[in-house]
Amino acid sequence: TDVSVAFNMLDADGQNVGTVSDQTATLSPGVRWMFKALVLDNAAVKAEFLEFKIAGNPVTPPSLAPGTTTTPPAPGGTP
């Protein structure tokens, strides 16, 4: 219960321009969660994984270590 994920948003120079997150009340074992985090800063071009929490406790997912970056899809794009 009480599952959340957060990302730092980075500009083209790798500078943090904000943090985004999403949460869900429950997540069953083995179920994929299609989370969405609203990015309001147009300068944000990359997302850097910050944290994943279950019941308020930080957990490191095996497939995504802190500091991992990815380029999010453009608005209206296919994920």
Side-chain angles (χ1 to χ4, degrees):
T1 59
D2 189 25
V3 180
S4 65
V5 63
F7 296 87
N8 285 323
M9 299 308 302
L10 309 176
D11 66 13
D13 296 323
Q15 298 299 309
N16 188 332
V17 294
T19 302
V20 297
S21 63
D22 195 9
Q23 63 184 21
T24 186
T26 60
L27 185 62
S28 299
V31 173
R32 289 184 180 220
W33 170 30
M34 301 299 289
F35 60 84
K36 292 185 179 183
L38 181 62
V39 178
L40 299 175
D41 193 323
N42 290 333
V45 297
K46 289 186 180 183
E48 177 184 65
F49 174 70
L50 178 60
E51 65 184 1
F52 181 73
K53 289 184 177 182
I54 299 174
N57 299 308
V59 176
T60 302
S63 63
L64 192 57
T68 301
T69 60
T70 184
T71 303
T78 303

